[in-house]
Amino acid sequence: MNVIPDSGNRRISSMRAVHFASAEDKNTAAAQSSNRDQVTISQEGRDSLEAMMDRTVEQLSAMTKEEFMNMLRQWQSENQPKLEVDPYRKVDPDGSIARKTYFESYLGQLKEMEETVKSYYADAYKEAVSAPINSLAFISGKYLSPWSDYYDPNIPAKERQWTHSQLWAMLTDSNVALNDPYALAASGGTKTVDEMDEIARQAVKDRLDALIKERENTGQS
């Protein structure tokens, strides 16, 4: 089964080069000019760190790498987000239920789209199978060849191409495409990978919520 995901734009973060004095002698000019380490720090998404660096940028040339890393670790510790207790741990301690539910939902969506596509082309498939000539030759004549006796000029060009491609897959027992705008139009259109992921995640949440409710109803702590 073929799924074509939407490609998202990725930002390229700007980088700042920061030079540190040598740990052996950070107070001498020679050490500052010849024995420096270099690290790069991403500016994007690090507003707090950026503000801190702006305040201390003049001091960094006199700071060793070890001193800076200690300062960075302290900042990370102070700004570490508080972890929430997983409310589903009691009903799914190893995550196996969540994984199983997720993949069942995701694969179920793929299967549903595949069945929708095949159902949409069912009549055209039957026509091709019962054609007086080879089925593949028939669909090539009807959908691709204007000179053929079987050609149907009433079908729009793009829809004709989709029909031929999907029927070819069905007749050769190959995977139909799951981004077919014609076959899937009546069921809400094609889905992106992100949309399918969101549906699968919601299925997991619904499943685990139901288990928690069931646990509470039975009086388990």
Side-chain angles (χ1 to χ4, degrees):
M1 294 175 285
N2 301 320
V3 179
I4 299 179
D6 288 347
S7 57
N9 294 327
R10 293 185 178 179
R11 298 178 180 177
I12 301 177
S13 302
S14 58
M15 306 297 287
R16 169 183 295 175
V18 179
H19 299 274
F20 298 99
S22 168
E24 286 76 9
D25 189 359
K26 65 176 181 178
N27 295 319
T28 64
Q32 292 176 356
S33 61
S34 61
N35 293 314
R36 290 177 176 176
D37 294 322
Q38 186 182 68
V39 298
T40 56
I41 303 175
S42 173
Q43 295 181 7
E44 189 172 357
R46 300 178 183 274
D47 296 337
S48 298
L49 180 59
E50 183 69 18
M52 178 185 69
M53 289 185 64
D54 287 341
R55 293 193 300 268
T56 60
V57 65
E58 294 181 357
Q59 303 174 10
L60 290 178
S61 60
M63 184 181 295
T64 66
K65 180 180 178 181
E66 289 72 19
E67 289 171 334
F68 176 78
M69 293 306 296
N70 288 335
M71 182 178 67
L72 178 58
R73 280 191 289 268
Q74 180 180 356
W75 176 86
Q76 290 174 324
S77 176
E78 293 173 351
N79 292 273
Q80 186 72 22
K82 301 298 185 294
L83 299 178
E84 297 181 357
V85 177
D86 184 358
Y88 301 120
R89 185 174 299 278
K90 289 184 178 181
V91 294
D92 188 23
D94 61 355
S96 60
I97 297 177
R99 289 192 297 271
K100 182 175 184 292
T101 304
Y102 180 91
F103 285 110
E104 284 179 347
S105 174
Y106 202 100
L107 294 176
Q109 293 178 70
L110 295 177
K111 185 63 176 177
E112 181 179 356
M113 286 189 290
E114 180 184 42
E115 292 175 351
T116 299
V117 169
K118 290 183 176 180
S119 177
Y120 181 82
Y121 292 108
D123 291 341
Y125 175 82
K126 292 177 182 178
E127 180 186 34
V129 170
S130 60
I133 61 174
N134 177 272
S135 297
L136 297 179
F138 174 79
I139 63 173
S140 294
K142 181 172 182 177
Y143 302 105
L144 299 182
S145 308
W147 59 85
S148 172
D149 294 336
Y150 303 103
Y151 184 73
D152 186 351
N154 298 318
I155 304 175
K158 289 185 178 180
E159 185 175 358
R160 185 184 301 115
Q161 293 173 356
W162 270 105
T163 303
H164 176 267
S165 177
Q166 299 288 49
L167 288 176
W168 186 281
M170 293 169 67
L171 291 167
T172 58
D173 198 26
S174 303
N175 294 327
V176 296
L178 302 183
N179 59 330
D180 187 331
Y182 299 98
L184 299 173
S187 60
T190 60
K191 295 178 182 177
T192 66
V193 170
D194 288 341
E195 289 171 336
M196 295 173 64
D197 172 74
E198 183 178 354
I199 292 172
R201 288 177 181 273
Q202 185 62 46
V204 171
K205 183 179 184 304
D206 292 344
R207 172 60 175 156
L208 296 181
D209 284 344
L211 290 176
I212 288 180
K213 186 175 182 179
E214 179 181 341
R215 184 185 182 91
E216 291 174 348
N217 290 338
T218 57
Q220 297 179 354
S221 58

